[in-house]
Amino acid sequence: GSLALDSFLTCSNLYHFACVTMENKGVFPLLESDDSNGQMLHMVSTLNSACRTKVVSIEKQIEWPQFPQFCPPSDPSAERVLFLVHNDADASFLLELFAEFERKKFYEAVFVASEDVNISKLTKRNVKDCNIFAVQEKKWASDGYAEWVAKWSEVLQLHAPLAIFSVEHHTKEPLNKAVIVAIKQLAKINLNIAWISIPQKDTSSASWIADLSPRALSNWNSPYFTISVAVENASQSNLLELLESLKNAHLYGARLPIDFFVENTADNSVLRLVQNFTEDWAENMEAQVKFRLLPGGKLRSVTELFYPSNMVHHFCITLTGFMKVSPMIFAWVKMGVLNYQYGTEGQFSKDLYGLSLSAMTSNCESANLSNSAKRRKVGVSNEGTMSQLSWDSKEVALPTVDAVFKHQMPCDAGMVLFPEYWAEFRAYLAARLLEDHIVAEIGGSVTNQWRTTWQRFLTEMAFQSNYYLLYPNLKGREGFVVRGEGGGPLDSSPGLIEDAKMLRKLFGNEKDAERFNALGSRVL
């Protein structure tokens, strides 16, 4: 029959448990108190009153150690996230992110601490005893690899977390290998857990992760990212700035393959610089250099940067040799993609063809829009209700609030391309170039005067299909790249978004959750 899983684990002396297989839920420990004649059954706190399901089978009882008492979540529907720490240093690195998750009503954060963690240090940092789950991992490992994995499987089934955070360790014998194997095994019984291992240098800028919805967070490992760089007439100094800034970017454990598309006009110093970088990038994933024998021009150099290997999950970050990137560039990419392609139904935005890495400046707008273009912006008023504003583009005015907004015009080649839409654009472009007698005009748009630029054709498709590019918009016009032209110095104004605080301004916060949906849109 059905069980209403409506009670939290509160008993302090439990001696036995049975593994119960639940329909569409997997295997979970079913606890039996010692003095209840087998009639009193308690499920762990993570399976609460919101969950009803059918019991498929119950296996025999086996011994189980004494359980701690868990803190009841502030919201019964809260999702549990675990913070796996092997020592005090790990705990210190993850404490700020833990605190961010604790502030969210839709999350319940729990530290899973091995023997080398000083629990008293955590409690002194305002971590409640009931939010700490101690494990004897060294003992498990000493009992053999199979036992080590089995114990972790039991712990993960007990907690049934949405995600597990850890600090990335570059050791010969990975500390978390048994956990990763246990996660893969549990995925076979439909208990899917997102594994998120963050390097030490990135933990201080990871607070934005707590702003992700549970659905977006659960898909942390679903999208696959690559980087493509068009090295066209870039000077050695410009390219060096790009490469150094890429090395300093926070990747949060991601492995990003990178491809350099080098034009035949590049000199030997540029080629050597790119080749040396590929060796440095090896720890993040492979890097390749692709050399163009014949000149292709802007249209080919941009459109050939990417073709998706998967029409759902493969996203590409496109850059040029004249750019310098922000340390937070991948945080913007990851947050934008997870929110608007993998988030809740209210967040999902099916009309986005990509993300811009730079803010739309008045120069970009005046160059690409006619004075007769009509635009509108949707914002959030002080009362938290949706407000709509409209104005004529003669003012060349941009939004004055910190938010994200949508526009059909791409400002430059610094973008994140979404697979399905870019494949559609490649097909559209091929057809337009073959049928150049076709006249496709956008009323009053200056794109009509551009003959063969990739921006013109992409804007045409966006206009006809009602697609948009998502732009960051801070009051200071900061972005995630700065640009230069013709081998000259990079434009340092507006500047770069350097920290998580600036990034989080774009998406609002928990008290202003509707802001995730406040995507203003501008139509040519």
Side-chain angles (χ1 to χ4, degrees):
S2 297
L3 282 181
L5 309 176
D6 57 359
S7 60
F8 296 111
L9 175 62
T10 57
C11 300
S12 60
N13 292 296
L14 296 170
Y15 299 95
H16 299 85
F17 88 103
C19 277
V20 57
T21 303
M22 316 296 284
E23 191 174 68
N24 299 323
K25 291 291 181 181
V27 180
F28 297 98
L30 191 64
L31 304 174
E32 179 185 349
S33 64
D34 188 54
D35 59 352
S36 62
N37 298 318
Q39 302 301 314
M40 185 75 174
L41 295 177
H42 298 274
M43 291 305 292
V44 293
S45 61
T46 49
L47 299 176
N48 50 46
S49 58
C51 179
R52 290 176 179 271
T53 186
K54 181 181 178 181
V55 176
V56 176
S57 64
I58 298 180
E59 298 177 11
K60 64 181 181 180
Q61 295 179 340
I62 60 175
E63 293 185 358
W64 185 262
Q66 183 173 330
F67 284 90
Q69 181 175 339
F70 296 117
C71 298
S74 57
D75 187 329
S77 63
E79 296 282 358
R80 177 169 289 184
V81 291
L82 301 184
F83 290 79
L84 175 58
V85 290
H86 297 282
N87 49 54
D88 291 340
D90 284 0
S92 179
F93 282 119
L94 291 176
L95 197 59
E96 181 181 350
L97 184 58
F98 176 90
E100 290 291 340
F101 273 92
E102 274 286 274
R103 296 188 186 104
K104 304 295 181 180
K105 65 180 180 180
F106 41 84
Y107 286 118
E108 179 193 8
V110 174
F111 268 117
V112 177
S114 65
E115 301 95 320
D116 291 337
V117 177
N118 189 332
I119 302 298
S120 62
K121 287 186 177 180
L122 287 176
T123 56
K124 288 178 181 177
R125 300 287 294 272
N126 298 321
V127 180
K128 299 175 183 176
D129 286 331
C130 55
N131 279 347
I132 302 173
F133 187 88
V135 296
Q136 295 180 318
E137 186 174 27
K138 286 185 176 179
K139 181 180 182 304
W140 299 346
S142 66
D143 292 337
Y145 183 71
E147 182 69 13
W148 190 12
V149 173
K151 288 295 185 182
W152 271 118
S153 294
E154 293 170 0
V155 169
L156 297 183
Q157 290 178 73
L158 173 68
H159 289 279
L162 186 74
I164 302 175
F165 290 90
S166 73
V167 176
E168 187 174 280
H169 293 274
H170 294 287
T171 58
K172 185 177 181 180
E173 195 72 16
L175 295 175
N176 296 315
K177 65 176 183 179
V179 189
I180 296 172
V181 171
I183 290 173
K184 291 179 179 179
Q185 290 180 352
L186 294 176
K188 296 177 182 179
I189 58 171
N190 296 322
L191 181 57
N192 296 303
I193 303 169
W195 172 254
I196 305 172
S197 185
I198 304 176
Q200 292 180 1
K201 71 180 184 68
D202 297 341
T203 54
S204 60
S205 65
S207 59
W208 59 272
I209 300 176
D211 292 338
L212 293 171
S213 69
R215 184 168 180 177
L217 182 63
S218 68
N219 282 286
W220 179 269
N221 295 312
S222 296
Y224 171 67
F225 297 93
T226 56
I227 301 175
S228 293
V229 182
V231 184
E232 183 184 15
N233 301 323
S235 68
Q236 185 177 4
S237 59
N238 283 156
L239 186 58
L240 184 60
E241 284 202 76
L242 170 66
L243 301 183
E244 289 300 318
S245 63
L246 280 171
K247 290 180 185 178
N248 294 327
H250 302 300
L251 301 183
Y252 307 100
R255 301 293 183 261
L256 297 180
I258 185 168
D259 290 325
F260 291 95
F261 293 79
V262 182
E263 292 292 322
N264 64 339
T265 53
D267 58 30
N268 289 334
S269 63
V270 169
L271 278 172
R272 283 195 301 269
L273 193 59
V274 171
Q275 289 168 340
N276 291 337
F277 177 83
T278 61
E279 298 176 6
D280 296 336
W281 196 255
E283 68 176 68
N284 293 299
M285 193 69 97
E286 65 177 331
Q288 296 184 3
V289 180
K290 300 180 179 180
F291 187 77
R292 192 188 299 277
L293 291 176
L294 299 175
K298 283 276 188 181
L299 187 146
R300 290 185 64 182
S301 67
V302 173
T303 56
E304 294 178 2
L305 285 176
F306 172 57
Y307 195 85
S309 59
N310 181 295
M311 290 299 176
V312 178
H313 301 300
H314 184 188
F315 299 80
C316 184
I317 303 167
T318 60
L319 303 168
T320 71
F322 298 108
M323 292 177 176
K324 177 181 178 181
V325 305
S326 159
M328 297 299 296
I329 182 173
F330 192 63
W332 161 250
V333 172
K334 192 86 169 182
M335 194 168 192
V337 168
L338 287 176
N339 274 336
Y340 300 115
Q341 297 299 292
Y342 295 88
T344 63
E345 185 176 347
Q347 290 176 316
F348 180 74
S349 188
K350 64 181 180 180
D351 59 355
L352 286 183
Y353 68 80
L355 310 176
S356 173
L357 298 178
S358 60
M360 177 168 274
T361 64
S362 57
N363 289 336
C364 173
E365 188 161 284
S366 60
N368 294 321
L369 298 178
S370 71
N371 285 339
S372 61
K374 299 295 181 182
R375 308 167 296 168
R376 66 182 176 85
K377 174 188 160 296
V378 179
V380 180
S381 69
N382 293 332
E383 291 76 25
T385 57
M386 305 295 285
S387 62
Q388 184 167 310
L389 305 172
S390 63
W391 61 91
D392 192 272
S393 64
K394 291 178 182 177
E395 303 171 14
V396 196
L398 293 165
T400 58
V401 297
D402 296 329
V404 290
F405 76 101
K406 298 188 292 187
H407 199 296
Q408 291 177 318
M409 171 71 69
C411 216
D412 59 37
M415 297 185 293
V416 181
L417 304 177
F418 290 7
E420 181 181 357
Y421 301 96
W422 192 250
E424 181 182 344
F425 170 63
R426 289 280 298 263
Y428 176 85
L429 178 63
R432 285 286 284 113
L433 293 178
L434 286 174
E435 305 289 343
D436 59 358
H437 62 280
I438 296 176
V439 177
E441 291 192 349
I442 302 171
S445 174
V446 294
T447 58
N448 301 324
Q449 303 170 24
W450 304 343
R451 181 162 177 77
T452 55
T453 64
W454 65 271
Q455 287 105 324
R456 172 190 174 170
F457 295 120
L458 183 54
T459 304
E460 278 182 14
M461 187 189 79
F463 180 76
Q464 295 175 67
S465 303
N466 203 31
Y467 295 157
Y468 294 89
L469 188 67
L470 189 72
Y471 279 87
N473 187 76
L474 293 176
K475 294 176 183 177
R477 302 286 173 249
E478 298 91 347
F480 297 94
V481 296
V482 292
R483 304 182 299 273
E485 293 296 339
L490 295 174
D491 182 7
S492 58
S493 179
L496 291 170
I497 294 174
E498 300 277 4
D499 54 49
K501 185 178 180 180
M502 296 177 71
L503 171 70
R504 297 175 81 181
K505 282 183 179 180
L506 293 171
F507 295 95
N509 52 48
E510 186 181 356
K511 294 180 180 179
D512 191 12
E514 289 298 318
R515 195 165 182 177
F516 279 109
N517 303 320
L519 299 181
S521 57
R522 296 180 172 198
V523 185
L524 293 174

